[in-house]
Amino acid sequence: MNRYQIYLDPNRVLVVDDLARELDMTRSQILRDVFDRLIIGYEKLLRSAISVRVKSSNPLLKMAGFAQSP
């Protein structure tokens, strides 16, 4: 694990601290969990965007009609 410094809104930190107290967790663990969940969602978006880009950039797939996106 690497260490990074970020700036957070103080009001958000208060919410995270309250949550940490209620769940008997550390602030750091909660923030890591939140980032992990967000990154998983962004990974899905990235894979989808790459897939669409690859399909739409292949002229043979375009001619065959496989590059149609919903």
Side-chain angles (χ1 to χ4, degrees), residues 3 7 9-10 14 16-21 30-31 35-36 43 49 51 54-55 57-59 61 63-64 69:
R3 181 182 175 150
Y7 296 95
D9 182 293
L14 290 175
V16 172
D17 287 345
D18 289 343
L19 185 60
R21 236 183 332 277
I30 290 174
L31 292 174
F35 285 121
D36 285 345
E43 277 181 320
S51 175
V54 167
K55 287 179 183 176
S57 66
N58 187 328
L61 290 177
M63 287 174 23
S69 58

Side-chain angles (χ1 to χ4, degrees), residues 1-4 6 8 16 19-20 24-41:
M1 218 181 291
N2 293 327
R3 181 182 175 150
Y4 296 94
I6 62 171
L8 300 171
V16 172
L19 185 60
D24 193 28
M25 296 174 69
T26 64
R27 177 195 300 161
S28 298
Q29 184 59 51
I30 290 174
L31 292 174
R32 281 192 294 270
D33 289 349
V34 168
F35 285 121
D36 285 345
R37 288 175 187 256
L38 282 173
I39 289 170
I40 287 169

